[in-house]
Amino acid sequence: MSMNELIKNLRGIWARAYVRIVGVNREPSWLIFELFFPLLPICSFAFVYKSMNAPSDYLGFVILGGAMTAIWMNVLWGMAAQFFWERESGNLTLYMLCPMSTMAVLVGMALGSGFSTFFRVIITFMIGKLIFGITLHVASYFWLFATFILTIAAVFSLGMMMASFFLLYGRDAWNILTVFMEPVFFLSGFYFPVKTLGYPLGALASLIPITLGLDAMRQLAFKLGPDTAFLPVKTEILILVALSALYLAGAKYLLKKLEYIGRREGRLTLRWQ
Amino acid sequence: MAVKDIYRRFAAIVKSAAWLGWQLESNWADPWIFAVITIIRPLASLFIIIFMFRFALGPSASADFFNFFFIGNVIYLYVYNVLFGISQVIFEDREHYEVIKYIYISPVNWYLYFIGRGFARFIVASVSCAVTIAAGALFLPLKFGMSAASVPTFALSFAVGLVSIFFMGIIMCALTLVMARHGNMMSESVSGIFFISCGVIFPISALPEWLQKISAVIPVSYWLEISRRLILGTDKTIDGVWHGISTGALMARLGISTVVLFIFSILFFNYMSMLARSKGIIDRTTSY
């Protein structure tokens, strides 16, 4: 890639990320719906533990897991399904016409979404922590923050890979995405430690980066976290790095392949599929 | 026009809308893929709670807890699907397929059209419900004790509770008519509010007192408590909020609140339709 091409792609990345970063400031109503809405299931699941007189760290597990749902929802509907909306509104064709790689669009989307989601997760967690009076016992703020960032990176890489399918598919892929909500909340242990699932199922669930990210963060942030550990924190961090690289490479490969098929079959401009 | 003709006409509108809704829900996939997708989400929701119980209580989890959350979870499938489904129709017809103006100018009663579209979600919810019950029977230590004498009361409470959700769905739908962007999130949020405040997966008595008072006037709360009592064959559940209130009194509350909702939904829907028309936003698309 020449320097000129690199600059164009970097500009493309910034342009796509800019819309998402600035969009947050220009849409204050998101505060109500994107902070308030995720709090509802979080509170419900926290009340389940409360009704069982469970230790307060369990409520903390739920609040952290619930806050992390913002990342997963954003990956599903803000990343993976984004090309579906772009095609419906006619923007996808414009992306293809731009003198840059489609990968730059995806990276820009991921960076923009990652930025806004980062704050959403932290704010949602802090509100939940305040409501239920959770006490944190952080083993290492550095590693907690590093794990959080790595989790976001790995999950958004997976989202980029999933997004490429929407170059070909329409309503079917959109509907299939809905299957990745509750089943993933279950498998990734959003509301209980993944160790409860047992090692074979937990290992399978580890393909979704949020599973290991959540487990590591619980170990680092709560007193009872290490008692419920699925794997040691360092191992989980290494796997997260590997998954980020794997999914990024997968996204690049799939995007190229599916874009080619989409062009050949004339499906890039197909609406109301 | 005779009453019989009016009934036939209304039934035809609901039937056509329900058929259209069903086609939209299901025609994008092979039936088996659609079936898998329909059952996998409620099953996962069920397993989330089962594993929460398993994690927090271990083998000591009592059947009372399982019975309580299981019945709540099954009934909530209808609440979520119908409530969300009816208000979603506005988005599908207005923003996605851009056909709402054609439906508006056709000789159908709009209110009934949306009720009909809600029926498709009712069918989806019923399939999910059947699968959840089968899974519950297999994996959970459930102990149901419904007597034969309770079956008619249960059927009546189920019908009234369901109808009240349709009316609430119409109210959401009416609000969505004048909302550009957030109607979608609004119906999700309202479903979420019901999930937390109506004692779906935990007793209302676990909520703060001020919230308990609000919870005790929502029809869904009555519906859940009546269903639990009748299915379990008891006159009180583990939820202390309802102790001292008879099942008959709860039925009366559910019936009265449903009638109030029916009247309000008609008035509110007509007002919002007029408002949307006067503002010229019935067929507005926002590409959002």
Side-chain angles (χ1 to χ4, degrees), chain A residues 27 29 33 37 40 43-45 47-49 52 58 88 171-172 175 178-179 182-183 186 192-193 196 272, chain B residues 24 27-28 37 40-41 44-45 47 49 51-52 55 96-97 181-182 185 188-189 195-196 201-202 206:
Chain A
E27 185 64 82
S29 57
F33 288 104
F37 174 57
L40 296 171
C43 291
S44 299
F45 290 120
F47 275 119
V48 171
Y49 281 135
M52 294 179 209
Y58 288 16
E88 291 289 320
R171 203 154 54 104
D172 38 4
N175 274 290
T178 60
V179 173
E182 284 84 355
F186 164 61
F192 56 84
T196 320
W272 299 308
Chain B
L24 282 166
N27 74 354
W28 53 271
I37 285 174
I40 207 162
R41 284 184 69 185
S45 301
F47 281 117
I49 315 280
F51 275 81
M52 281 176 75
F55 166 60
H96 190 68
Y97 298 109
R181 303 172 176 198
H182 305 305
M185 293 300 284
E188 286 262 11
S189 301
F195 190 66
I196 187 169
I201 54 172
F202 59 86

Side-chain angles (χ1 to χ4, degrees), chain B residues 183-206:
Chain B
N184 202 11
M185 293 300 284
M186 181 193 60
S187 53
E188 286 262 11
S189 301
V190 170
S191 308
I193 290 168
F194 286 162
F195 190 66
I196 187 169
S197 60
C198 295
V200 176
I201 54 172
F202 59 86
I204 293 173
S205 51

Side-chain angles (χ1 to χ4, degrees), chain B residues 21-97:
Chain B
W22 176 249
Q23 290 299 316
L24 282 166
E25 289 288 338
S26 63
N27 74 354
W28 53 271
D30 289 335
W32 73 270
I33 294 179
F34 178 71
V36 169
I37 285 174
T38 306
I39 62 177
I40 207 162
R41 284 184 69 185
L43 273 185
S45 301
L46 180 71
F47 281 117
I48 287 174
I49 315 280
I50 293 174
F51 275 81
M52 281 176 75
F53 275 91
R54 202 170 140 179
F55 166 60
L57 300 173
S60 69
S62 77
D64 285 346
F65 266 121
F66 281 121
N67 289 330
F68 187 90
F69 101 79
F70 181 77
I71 297 168
N73 205 41
V74 168
I75 300 278
Y76 184 75
L77 285 172
Y78 287 103
V79 177
Y80 174 78
N81 274 289
V82 174
L83 207 58
F84 181 69
I86 295 183
S87 57
Q88 186 70 9
V89 172
I90 297 286
F91 279 98
E92 284 180 356
D93 286 4
R94 186 178 65 190
E95 302 261 348
H96 190 68
Y97 298 109

